[in-house]
C-alpha cells in the first residue's frame, strides 16, 4: 500500500467512524514544514479488540498504558514465609512444581500478597525434559542432575517428539490460574531457550565453565546442532501448549546464553530462538514473547534480531543506555537490581523511579534485573509493587518530545482494527 493510498483509506474511514478528518490530515500530512514524518508500522488485525488485554500485555505490545505494569522474576519462592511453610510439608521441588494443586497454590501466593500485574506459573525450565526423552533428578546439593548426558549421535537416539500429555499438570495449572486471576493480571508461562536447556543436557547438570558444550561447538557441531534443532521444535510446541492452556504472555529464558561470546551466541543460540518465535507466531500471533538473558549487555541489538516483542534487561545494563540501543520500536522489561530490595525503602523508591523514567512511558514492564534473592524482605517486595502502581505516565507530554510515536487505533466493521504507528520528529533543519 502506498503512502498516499494509506492516507486516502484512513481519511475515508475517519469520516465514517466519526474521527475528525483534520486530526488525521495533520497526523499524516503535518502542516509545519519543520516536522518530519516517518512511517514505521502498519498492521491490520481482525481479532477482537485488545482493549480487554491485561495491562502487562498492552505494555508488551507497545500500546499506550497509564502506568508501568510490574511483576518479578521468581516472585513465588523461598523469600516468602508462606512458601517456606509449604515447602516443609512438601520438601521435593519436583513435587511442588509438578503437582497441579501445589503449582496453583504457590503461583498465587505473591498474587494474594502483592497483586502484581503478572502471575507467572511456578515451574522450572527443565520441567518438559522427560516429556521428550531426557529424565532428570534434582539433588539437594548438586541441583539438577542428568544421568545420561547427550554428547554423541548415539545419545541423540533417546530423544523423541514432546509428549504434551506428560505435561498436563502445566496445562491444568495455567487454566486454573487464568480463572483465578481473570483479566486483572496477565498469566505468564515460560520456557528455557535451546542453548540454555542444552547446557544441562550436555554437561549433565549445572556447571560453572560450560567447557563440554563449548568444545562440542568445534568437536561435534553436527551433534549439537541436531540437539538444538530438536529442542527448538519441542520448546515451540510447549509454548503453544501453554498459550492454548491460558498463558497471556511467554518469557524465554536464555539464562546461560550470556556465557557465550556474542559471535558464538549468534551462531549457537540466536537462530534457534528466532525459529521458536517464528513457529509460535504461526499459531499464536497475538501472544507477546519476552526474551531474557543473564548478562546481556553485549547482546541487546542481537536479541532484538530474534523477533521477540520484549527484551528483558539485567541489572548490569543502564536502562537509559539499553533503551537508546534498542530504540522505541520494541518493549523492554526490568531492570531494578535485586539487591536494592535490601536497601532502605526510600532508596528503593528512588531506584524504581529512575528505572521507570529511563525506560520511557511506552513499552516498559517494570521488573527486577534478575530473580528475587533468597532472604529478600517481603516488606520490600510489597513496597516495590506499591511504588510501581503509584507511578502514572503523563501521556500528554509525549506531544512535546523530540521524537514521538503516534498510534492511530481505527475500529472497522466486524471487530477489525488498524494500527498505524508513526514517528514525528521535531526540528527539520
Amino acid at each position: 500500500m502506498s503512502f498516499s493510498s494509506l492516507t486516502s483509506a484512513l481519511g475515508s474511514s475517519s469520516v465514517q467512524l466519526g474521527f475528525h478528518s483534520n486530526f488525521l490530515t495533520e497526523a499524516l500530512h503535518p502542516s509545519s514544514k519543520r516536522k518530519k514524518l516517518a512511517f514505521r508500522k502498519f498492521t491490520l488485525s481482525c481479532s477482537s479488540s485488545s482493549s480487554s488485554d491485561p495491562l502487562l500485555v498492552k505494555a508488551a505490545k507497545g500500546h499506550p498504558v497509564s502506568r508501568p505494569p510490574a511483576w518479578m522474576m521468581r516472585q513465588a519462592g523461598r523469600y516468602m514465609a508462606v512458601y517456606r511453610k509449604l515447602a516443609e510439608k512438601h520438601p521435593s521441588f519436583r513435587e511442588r512444581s509438578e503437582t497441579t494443586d501445589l503449582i496453583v497454590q504457590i503461583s498465587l501466593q505473591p498474587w494474594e500478597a502483592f497483586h502484581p500485574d503478572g502471575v507467572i506459573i511456578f515451574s522450572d525450565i527443565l520441567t518438559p525434559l522427560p516429556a521428550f526423552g531426557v529424565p532428570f533428578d534434582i539433588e539437594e546439593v548438586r541441583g539438577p542432575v542428568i544421568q545420561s548426558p547427550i554428547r554423541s549421535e548415539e545419545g541423540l537416539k533417546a530423544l523423541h517428539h514432546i509428549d504434551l500429555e506428560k505435561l498436563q499438570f502445566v496445562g491444568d495449572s495455567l487454566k486454573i490460574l487464568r480463572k483465578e486471576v481473570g483479566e486483572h493480571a496477565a498469566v505468564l508461562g515460560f520456557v528455557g531457550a535451546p542453548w540454555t536447556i542444552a547446557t544441562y543436557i550436555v554437561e549433565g547438570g549445572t556447571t560453572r565453565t560450560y567447557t563440554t558444550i563449548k568444545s562440542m561447538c568445534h568437536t561435534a557441531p553436527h551433534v549439537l546442532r541436531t540437539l538444538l534443532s530438536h529442542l527448538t521444535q519441542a520448546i515451540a510446541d510447549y509454548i503453544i501448549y501453554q498459550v492454548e492452556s491460558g498463558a497471556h504472555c511467554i518469557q524465554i529464558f536464555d539464562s546461560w546464553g550470556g556465557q557465550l561470546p556474542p559471535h558464538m551466541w549468534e551462531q549457537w543460540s540466536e537462530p534457534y530462538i528466532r525459529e521458536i518465535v517464528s513457529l509460535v507466531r504461526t499459531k499464536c500471533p497475538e501472544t507477546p514473547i519476552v526474551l531474557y538473558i543473564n548478562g546481556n549487555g553485549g547482546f541487546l541489538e542481537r536479541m532484538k534480531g530474534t523477533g521477540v516483542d520484549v527484551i528483558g534487561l539485567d541489572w548490569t545494563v543502564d536502562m537509559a543506555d539499553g533503551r537508546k540501543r534498542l530504540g522505541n520500536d520494541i518493549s523492554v522489561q526490568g531492570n531494578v537490581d535485586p539487591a536494592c530490595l535490601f536497601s532502605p525503602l526510600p532508596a528503593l523508591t528512588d531506584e524504581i523511579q529512575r528505572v521507570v523514567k529511563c525506560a520511557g512511558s511506552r513499552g516498559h514492564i517494570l521488573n527486577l534485573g534478575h530473580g528475587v534473592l533468597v532472604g529478600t524482605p517481603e516488606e520490600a517486595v510489597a513496597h516495590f509493587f506499591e511504588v510501581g502502581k503509584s507511578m502514572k505516565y503523563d501521556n500528554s507530554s509525549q506531544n512535546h518530545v523530540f521524537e514521538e510515536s503516534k498510534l492511530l487505533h481505527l475500529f472497522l466493521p466486524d471487530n477489525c482494527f488498524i494500527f498505524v504507528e508513526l514517528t514525528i520528529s521535531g526540528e527539520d533543519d
Side-chain angles (χ1 to χ4, degrees), residues 34-154:
R34 296 177 62 80
K35 292 183 178 180
K36 290 181 179 179
L37 182 64
F39 176 79
R40 287 175 58 183
K41 187 185 296 184
F42 173 79
T43 57
L44 172 65
S45 174
C46 289
S47 61
S48 59
S49 168
S50 62
S51 60
S52 63
D53 283 341
L55 187 71
L56 187 149
V57 175
K58 291 180 180 178
K61 293 179 177 180
H63 296 178
V65 291
S66 59
R67 65 170 177 85
W71 72 284
M72 288 183 177
M73 291 180 281
R74 293 184 188 166
Q75 67 185 14
R78 287 177 288 172
Y79 75 96
M80 296 190 73
V82 66
Y83 176 87
R84 295 194 298 272
K85 184 177 180 180
L86 183 147
E88 289 177 0
K89 187 176 180 181
H90 303 277
S92 167
F93 178 81
R94 292 283 300 269
E95 179 191 6
R96 295 194 299 274
S97 61
E98 297 180 15
T99 305
T100 299
D101 291 346
L102 296 178
I103 293 171
V104 172
Q105 185 177 348
I106 295 170
S107 301
L108 290 176
Q109 285 175 349
W111 166 250
E112 293 166 351
F114 313 117
H115 288 280
D117 295 299
V119 175
I120 190 166
I121 184 172
F122 182 77
S123 187
D124 192 86
I125 60 173
L126 300 184
T127 294
L129 266 60
F132 54 79
V134 184
F136 73 96
D137 298 309
I138 295 183
E139 298 182 0
E140 188 67 27
V141 177
R142 294 177 61 191
V145 175
I146 294 172
Q147 299 293 348
S148 300
I150 296 177
R151 301 168 182 170
S152 65
E153 291 185 3
E154 185 65 25

Side-chain angles (χ1 to χ4, degrees), residues 4 20 27 63 79 127 134 150 167 184 218 262 268-269 272 283 294 318 334 344 394 405 420:
S4 59
H20 293 295
H63 296 178
Y79 75 96
T127 294
V134 184
I150 296 177
L167 297 167
H184 299 292
H218 308 287
W268 294 102
S269 186
Y272 302 98
K283 293 287 187 68
N294 187 28
D318 181 80
D394 180 12
S405 288
V420 181

